[in-house]
Amino acid sequence: MRISTIFCLCPVLVCLCFLQRCYGVSHHVPTSKVPITKNQTKLANGETEVHHRPKRGWIWNQFFVLEEHIGPDAQYVGKLHSNSDKGDGSVRYILSGEGAGSIFIINEVTGDIHATESLDRERKAHYVLHAQAFDRNTEKPLEPKSEFIIKVQDINDNAPKFPDGPFVAAVPEMSQVGTSVYQVTASDADDPTYGNSARVVYSILQGQPYFSIDPKTGVIRTALANMDREAREHYAVVIQAKDMAGSVGGLSGSTTINITLTDVNDNPPKFPQKNYQLYVPESAQVGKPVGKIKANDEDLGVNAAIKYSIINSEGAAMFSIATDRDTREGIISLKKPLNYERKKTYTLHIEGVNTHVEPRFSYLGPFKDTATLKITVGDVDEPPVFSMDYYIMDVYENAHIGTEVGAVTARDPDSKNSPVRYFINLSEHGDKYFNIDMDSGVIKTTQSLDREDMPWHNITVMASEVDNPSLLSHVPVTVQVLDVNDNPPEIKTDEEVVVCESSRPGQVIQTIAAVDKDDFANGQRFSFSLLSGIPVNPNFTLKDNEDNTASIIARRRRFSRLVQELYELPIVVWDGGEPALSGTSTLTLQVCPCQWNGRVQTCQDERGLLSSAGLSTGALIAILLCIVILLVIVVLFITLRRSKKEPLIISEEDVRENVVTYDDEGGGEEDTEAFDIIALRNPAAAEELKFRRDVRPESARQCGRPARGCHSPPELDQVNVQKFIKQRLVEADMDTGGPPYDSLQTYAYEGQGSPTGSISSLDSPGTHSEQDYNYLDDWGPEFQKLAELYGEDMDVAEVRTTRI
């Protein structure tokens, strides 16, 4: 509503504005009498000015302008008018904001607003502007700045559109009427809140009578029952959307929906014909395809899947059928070999059934079909056929050349029954042990056979027809060589036979077993004995355990490795064959020192140790060279060190304490000059009693071991050892020839010995004692060495007695 109209309808408002304008002048009141309020202003001369809030002289909400205006003149929008405007041109109107001065212009005198351009609501629906009224003379604002809106009024200038078209949809064939297919939605750029410019109605331009559409929602549905994909699969449906609710003058847009009918299983399989014929030669291989058959199905995918089967027993026994997934054909294969001479024709009843059936289409009939296939067997010239698939024969070893092993037979399976010839395939065997009679098929030996060398022989026999030698048949023949007793038994010597030095009479040294290359059906039986015709072995005897083993037993007490290290024992072994054979094996027995429990042998020479360590000759030479090089380096180092001796004191100012250590290892018991403790016992008799301890005194040599008539030297007299040590210390302190360093001399005194005397056997009599020291063996490993020493003395004494 324009401002002028408002003024006309509201005279009261106009009167109020007039009164305000006439009587709204300020009244001046003295400051001292009238208090200043918040609506008053204090002037410079002390007076106050009262401000009255003026009321707006113009009121409006918004203006409207029609879009897409076409004409030579600018489109009138509205008028701005102030109560202060008396029509004398003293008021100037100013417009600012969106489009002011370009799209919208205002008459500064009259306040009329015009649109100079054609506006599009779809681009911009409204404009926000500001208006002001000024006094043209004083340039003072007569009205406060006010905001107003100019709205672009819509007209139907946009047609409905389908932005995502064309569309693709699918619906199953044979669907019921009213089945939803797809929903389309058109968009209209016009104002949906004003008029019917954006109110769209849908309709079908193309696609009837198959489909229909809801005019309001745009849902497309089937309109025809039993639409068959096999008759027509694709449909192009054109949909129109029209605004103005479909009335005359409305704008419209269209799109296309490509609808496809999807397949359902509504067609049973059908064989193109009911009877088929197939020719198969009798030489066809078992398991290989011999033919194929196919039933047609108009459906697609899983709906057209067919399973084939042979429903009669005669055909199912000889043939099988499977479905090819790609071609949907029935592949017929042979299950058993064909024989033209036995059966020349076969009849197969084949059935094709859909694997996926929909119950709602069961009224269309059974989804299967049958056909008859007649197979004719063709006659083929076949190779000879052996009476057996393989042959097993046997022959004794060492049989004479030409001994018959066995025979093979083959025949011509054809009706003409051609003669057969036999051959041995020599290309598979390097040595020719057998030959075959060409006509009879009898196999004989050509060489002497050895079971121990090759117990089995595998040969291949070939057979061919006389009329057609190119047709060959093969059969494997296995010949077993039977055993005869032609190998003597032997002693199984995998380990060394070790004799402990501490062995006793009757002790089992080792249990031995025998081996025989021959094979006995009821098991091998061996007997053992020592070699006859030689003197009785004084050291060992043999016991047959009667379980194919024998035990070697010691006959004497104790063995000495120093006296004799190796013993040889010949043993005779008899087998239980027919005839019985014997063999003699000589065992080597080695004497070794054993541990107390007798289980672990410590008998290894230097070569054995080196070989057990895995050292080769080259490794030993390298080790020796390294040792020689190290020795040379040590000698050179010692030589250089001796040649570069430095003085003990470098200068007179270098005075320091030093500790000198003298290391003298001595010569053991033989060195009696360097360390003789006898001087501590009796210094006076030191010179007289100096003799070597490792040499028996003359009196002892004459006496032998202590016995009657032999006396030990007299006991040394008791001396004051402390006094002797002090005397030695004084002498050391007074010695001026010693080095000027602090040194420590130590004198040790061990005592006078045991009153019971020595238990050593060095001074014992040399005669053999009659006492038996066998009880020392039972004292444990601590007295083992002592028992061995006395045992050796007894053995030596026995030997001396035997010699005497």
Side-chain angles (χ1 to χ4, degrees):
M1 184 178 294
R2 294 186 176 89
I3 297 177
S4 58
T5 306
I6 297 174
F7 285 168
C8 294
L9 296 178
C10 301
V12 178
L13 181 62
V14 174
C15 294
L16 290 175
C17 292
F18 178 78
L19 291 174
Q20 178 184 359
R21 187 174 183 84
C22 294
Y23 300 100
V25 296
S26 302
H27 298 278
H28 300 282
V29 182
T31 307
S32 59
K33 295 181 181 180
V34 181
I36 299 174
T37 63
K38 62 180 181 179
N39 293 328
Q40 297 178 354
T41 303
K42 186 177 181 181
L43 301 178
N45 55 5
E47 296 180 356
T48 59
E49 181 181 359
V50 179
H51 298 279
H52 297 280
R53 182 177 182 181
K55 296 183 179 179
R56 292 182 56 182
W58 44 15
I59 299 175
W60 61 86
N61 293 326
Q62 59 186 4
F63 294 111
F64 294 91
V65 60
L66 194 65
E67 70 169 334
E68 305 292 345
H69 174 73
I70 300 174
D73 300 329
Q75 183 180 3
Y76 181 74
V77 177
K79 184 181 182 63
L80 296 178
H81 183 75
S82 173
N83 294 335
S84 301
D85 189 0
K86 297 179 180 181
D88 55 358
S90 61
V91 177
R92 185 167 62 91
Y93 297 96
I94 297 177
L95 188 65
S96 62
E98 296 179 342
S102 58
I103 300 176
F104 302 102
I105 58 176
I106 188 170
N107 190 323
E108 294 184 353
V109 177
T110 63
D112 293 329
I113 302 173
H114 290 82
T116 61
E117 297 180 5
S118 178
L119 302 180
D120 187 3
R121 190 201 67 84
E122 286 71 38
R123 294 181 59 185
K124 190 171 180 63
H126 67 275
Y127 296 85
V128 180
L129 294 98
H130 299 86
Q132 280 185 301
F134 291 91
D135 190 336
R136 189 179 296 274
N137 298 321
T138 62
E139 292 298 328
K140 290 184 178 180
L142 300 177
E143 299 290 345
K145 188 175 183 179
S146 180
E147 179 182 293
F148 65 96
I149 296 175
I150 297 178
K151 294 190 67 175
V152 181
Q153 189 172 357
D154 181 56
I155 64 172
N156 188 19
D157 60 342
N158 291 278
K161 295 181 180 180
F162 296 91
D164 299 329
F167 304 94
V168 176
V171 62
E173 64 173 333
M174 308 298 289
S175 296
Q176 296 179 0
V177 176
T179 302
S180 176
V181 179
Y182 197 75
Q183 182 179 12
V184 294
T185 302
S187 61
D188 196 319
D190 293 326
D191 188 0
T193 64
Y194 181 78
N196 295 327
S197 298
R199 185 179 176 185
V200 179
V201 174
Y202 301 96
S203 62
I204 291 182
L205 299 181
Q206 177 183 331
Q208 294 176 339
Y210 306 103
F211 300 95
S212 63
I213 188 169
D214 189 301
K216 294 183 179 180
T217 62
V219 176
I220 302 172
R221 302 178 185 275
T222 58
L224 189 64
N226 299 327
M227 287 191 293
D228 191 4
R229 183 199 66 83
E230 289 74 29
R232 183 178 177 182
E233 184 176 3
H234 301 286
Y235 295 86
V237 179
V238 179
I239 303 297
Q240 182 190 60
K242 189 175 183 180
D243 59 11
M244 299 297 292
S247 61
V248 179
L251 303 178
S252 64
S254 62
T255 188
T256 302
I257 297 93
N258 296 313
I259 301 176
T260 301
L261 297 182
T262 58
D263 184 63
V264 297
N265 190 9
D266 58 341
N267 294 281
K270 295 287 184 181
F271 285 102
Q273 58 192 62
K274 290 297 182 180
N275 296 297
Y276 295 87
Q277 291 185 352
L278 182 64
Y279 174 82
V280 180
E282 63 174 336
S283 59
Q285 297 182 10
V286 175
K288 298 294 183 179
V290 295
K292 53 188 176 181
I293 191 172
K294 183 179 181 181
N296 297 327
D297 194 323
E298 296 180 355
D299 296 322
L300 299 175
V302 67
N303 297 318
I306 302 175
K307 181 181 179 182
Y308 298 94
S309 59
I310 300 174
I311 58 178
N312 64 318
S313 59
E314 177 188 2
M318 292 297 295
F319 299 91
S320 63
I321 188 170
T323 304
D324 190 323
R325 294 183 179 179
D326 298 329
T327 63
R328 297 192 182 94
E329 294 177 330
I331 308 300
I332 302 171
S333 301
L334 189 62
K335 293 175 65 176
K336 296 180 181 180
L338 299 174
N339 193 332
Y340 174 80
E341 288 72 24
R342 293 183 180 178
K343 190 173 180 60
K344 296 179 176 59
T345 59
Y346 292 90
T347 300
L348 278 65
H349 297 291
I350 300 175
E351 182 182 62
V353 181
N354 279 142
T355 58
H356 178 73
V357 179
E358 295 189 17
R360 66 191 183 101
F361 300 117
S362 60
Y363 66 92
L364 297 177
F367 284 78
K368 61 182 178 179
D369 195 13
T370 58
T372 301
L373 176 62
K374 184 178 181 180
I375 296 179
T376 302
V377 181
D379 186 18
V380 178
D381 191 6
E382 301 175 84
V385 178
F386 285 94
S387 61
M388 300 177 63
D389 294 334
Y390 60 91
Y391 294 87
I392 299 178
M393 305 175 184
D394 55 57
V395 62
Y396 280 100
E397 64 175 331
N398 302 328
H400 297 291
I401 297 176
T403 301
E404 182 177 338
V405 179
V408 296
T409 58
R411 64 175 183 84
D412 183 10
D414 299 324
S415 57
K416 58 183 179 180
N417 196 13
S418 176
V420 177
R421 296 290 183 265
Y422 302 95
F423 309 92
I424 291 180
N425 189 1
L426 299 178
S427 62
E428 298 182 359
H429 308 282
D431 298 329
K432 183 179 179 182
Y433 293 97
F434 307 93
N435 63 6
I436 188 170
D437 187 88
M438 184 180 297
D439 297 323
S440 63
V442 176
I443 300 175
K444 297 181 180 180
T445 61
T446 59
Q447 296 183 20
S448 179
L449 304 178
D450 187 1
R451 188 202 67 86
E452 288 72 34
D453 184 27
M454 186 180 296
W456 295 87
H457 294 267
N458 296 316
I459 61 176
T460 301
V461 176
M462 299 181 297
S464 65
E465 297 179 6
V466 175
D467 297 338
N468 191 359
S470 61
L471 295 177
L472 296 175
S473 296
H474 302 77
V475 67
V477 178
T478 302
V479 179
Q480 180 183 10
V481 181
L482 302 179
D483 182 59
V484 295
N485 192 17
D486 58 345
N487 291 280
E490 298 176 352
I491 298 295
K492 184 179 180 182
T493 56
D494 295 338
E495 300 178 356
E496 286 187 349
V497 181
V498 177
V499 181
C500 293
E501 289 183 329
S502 60
S503 299
R504 303 178 183 178
Q507 181 178 349
V508 176
I509 303 300
Q510 188 165 338
T511 301
I512 59 176
V515 293
D516 196 327
K517 296 180 180 180
D518 294 322
D519 184 18
F520 295 94
N522 298 324
Q524 296 179 343
R525 294 181 178 86
F526 300 105
S527 58
F528 303 84
S529 66
L530 294 177
L531 188 62
S532 61
I534 60 174
V536 177
N537 193 320
N539 300 312
F540 306 98
T541 184
L542 188 69
K543 178 185 177 183
D544 192 345
N545 297 326
E546 297 182 356
D547 59 353
N548 292 335
T549 62
S551 299
I552 302 174
I553 301 175
R555 298 188 63 181
R556 55 170 290 185
R557 178 183 181 81
R558 295 193 176 281
F559 293 85
S560 176
R561 186 182 184 188
L562 301 177
V563 177
Q564 184 174 351
E565 183 178 2
L566 300 176
Y567 292 88
E568 291 185 352
L569 185 64
I571 300 175
V572 181
V573 186
W574 296 83
D575 61 15
E578 291 292 339
L581 298 179
S582 64
T584 302
S585 300
T586 301
L587 298 181
T588 301
L589 287 72
Q590 184 178 8
V591 179
C592 299
C594 302
Q595 293 184 356
W596 173 249
N597 53 15
R599 293 183 180 179
V600 181
Q601 286 79 17
T602 59
C603 184
Q604 292 183 350
D605 54 8
E606 296 178 357
R607 290 179 298 177
L609 289 173
L610 293 176
S611 61
S612 64
L615 298 176
S616 61
T617 305
L620 293 175
I621 294 174
I623 293 173
L624 293 177
L625 288 176
C626 292
I627 294 174
V628 171
I629 293 171
L630 290 175
L631 291 176
V632 171
I633 293 173
V634 171
V635 171
L636 291 175
F637 178 76
I638 294 174
T639 305
L640 292 175
R641 189 172 182 181
R642 288 182 178 178
S643 61
K644 294 182 180 181
K645 285 186 177 180
E646 296 181 357
L648 294 174
I649 299 178
I650 300 175
S651 63
E652 296 179 357
E653 292 147 1
D654 188 8
V655 178
R656 51 191 163 181
E657 295 181 355
N658 296 283
V659 178
V660 179
T661 303
Y662 299 93
D663 295 332
D664 189 358
E665 297 182 357
E669 295 180 355
E670 297 180 358
D671 189 357
T672 57
E673 297 295 335
F675 300 92
D676 192 1
I677 199 65
I678 197 65
L680 295 177
R681 296 179 178 176
N682 191 353
E687 297 297 333
E688 298 178 2
L689 298 177
K690 284 184 178 180
F691 57 88
R692 293 189 62 176
R693 289 186 172 183
D694 58 341
V695 180
R696 184 176 298 178
E698 293 298 330
S699 58
R701 292 180 183 178
Q702 296 175 1
C703 298
R705 296 184 180 180
R708 297 178 181 178
C710 294
H711 302 281
S712 59
E715 295 290 338
L716 297 176
D717 298 334
Q718 295 285 342
V719 294
N720 192 342
V721 179
Q722 185 178 5
K723 181 178 179 181
F724 173 73
I725 292 176
K726 289 183 178 180
Q727 182 180 355
R728 288 293 187 182
L729 290 175
V730 172
E731 293 177 359
D733 293 337
M734 298 302 295
D735 186 8
T736 58
Y741 299 103
D742 294 341
S743 61
L744 177 63
Q745 297 184 6
T746 302
Y747 296 92
Y749 177 63
E750 297 183 357
Q752 295 183 354
S754 174
T756 59
S758 175
I759 63 172
S760 175
S761 62
L762 295 176
D763 297 330
S764 302
T767 60
H768 175 66
S769 176
E770 298 297 335
Q771 186 177 357
D772 187 6
Y773 295 99
N774 292 334
Y775 62 89
L776 294 176
D777 294 332
D778 302 328
W779 285 12
E782 293 82 358
F783 296 92
Q784 182 180 2
K785 191 64 179 178
L786 187 61
E788 292 177 357
L789 291 175
Y790 280 94
E792 291 178 0
D793 292 340
M794 292 174 61
D795 295 338
V796 171
E798 291 177 0
V799 172
R800 290 177 180 174
T801 305
T802 305
R803 290 178 180 176
I804 294 174

